[in-house]
Amino acid sequence: YMVNPIYKFTDEERRLAEKIAKMRNDAKPESIKYKMCGFKNPEQAHIYGVCGEIAYAKVTNLKIDERIYTIGDKSDFDRGEIKAATWKGPDIELKIKVKEFLRKNPKAYILARIDKEYTQVEFVGSISREKFENVKYKKHHKFVDNYCVEGTQMTKGLAFMHEGKVKFASFNKI
């Protein structure tokens, strides 16, 4: 089936993202709770992440996991991991922290571009973990080492799990 790559948030969804982001940040150990990661607000990265999850849940008719973990979950949706980015350029990358890559084992990654005011998500694409492992490169960003792939290396569609296998729903043309 086909999916729309753009999802616009309601005010209610934006408030939900802020609420979950605050709870996720508050659950972190004190040593990392106030890490800004380049943002003025330590909850900002969580807000973008939750927005990506909300949009994916709405488009795929799944439910967002609102449980709070001190160290993080195993994956966001049935072995699919949503990664949020605010980079506007065509050279957008999917970035997975090296430590997270070693700790988690999702079947697929989905890259969601979110505007800084978090009014909408544009799904850039998806990639299976297997392909990610084969094409990834290591890059040091401001605070951390990441494994990355370019947005152009990803399938232009939304990954989802079907009978234990990664499938892709193509994007509608917009």
Side-chain angles (χ1 to χ4, degrees), residues 7 9 13-14 17-18 24 45-57 64 82 84 112 114-115 117-121 123:
Y7 182 82
F9 294 108
E13 289 166 337
R14 293 175 76 229
E18 290 168 351
R24 286 185 182 176
H46 293 290
I47 291 172
Y48 294 139
V50 174
C51 283
E53 292 171 36
I54 289 172
Y56 184 83
I64 183 172
I82 315 301
I114 299 169
D115 65 308
E117 294 76 37
Y118 51 101
T119 61
Q120 75 172 27
V121 162
F123 290 108

Side-chain angles (χ1 to χ4, degrees), residues 45-93:
H46 293 290
I47 291 172
Y48 294 139
V50 174
C51 283
E53 292 171 36
I54 289 172
Y56 184 83
K58 292 291 184 177
V59 169
T60 58
N61 205 22
L62 295 170
K63 190 163 172 17
I64 183 172
D65 181 0
E66 293 188 39
R67 290 175 295 186
I68 304 302
Y69 305 88
T70 52
I71 304 202
D73 53 10
K74 288 288 181 206
S75 65
D76 294 323
F77 294 95
D78 189 25
R79 309 284 312 274
E81 187 71 17
I82 315 301
K83 300 310 286 185
T86 57
W87 188 255
K88 292 181 179 142
D91 56 340
I92 192 168
E93 296 171 303

Side-chain angles (χ1 to χ4, degrees), residues 76-172:
D76 294 323
F77 294 95
D78 189 25
R79 309 284 312 274
E81 187 71 17
I82 315 301
K83 300 310 286 185
T86 57
W87 188 255
K88 292 181 179 142
D91 56 340
I92 192 168
E93 296 171 303
L94 169 66
K95 300 174 190 171
I96 311 295
K97 292 179 188 130
V98 171
K99 285 182 179 177
E100 177 184 329
F101 182 79
L102 298 172
R103 181 174 59 84
K104 291 183 169 189
N105 190 19
K107 294 264 190 186
Y109 297 102
I110 299 99
L111 180 56
R113 182 191 329 250
I114 299 169
D115 65 308
K116 291 204 191 282
E117 294 76 37
Y118 51 101
T119 61
Q120 75 172 27
V121 162
E122 173 199 355
F123 290 108
V124 175
S126 304
I127 190 168
S128 69
R129 179 166 173 114
E130 185 178 354
K131 182 176 178 190
F132 183 89
E133 281 202 64
N134 291 330
V135 299
K136 72 182 182 333
Y137 50 92
K138 196 173 190 177
K139 197 169 173 184
H140 185 78
H141 293 91
K142 291 180 213 161
F143 307 98
V144 68
D145 286 327
N146 290 308
Y147 288 132
C148 305
V149 299
E150 295 171 14
T152 55
Q153 294 175 289
M154 301 177 77
T155 299
K156 297 296 171 220
L158 216 52
F160 64 96
M161 296 303 294
H162 181 71
E163 297 176 354
K165 291 186 172 32
V166 178
K167 303 285 185 185
F168 298 93
S170 300
F171 290 144
N172 289 320

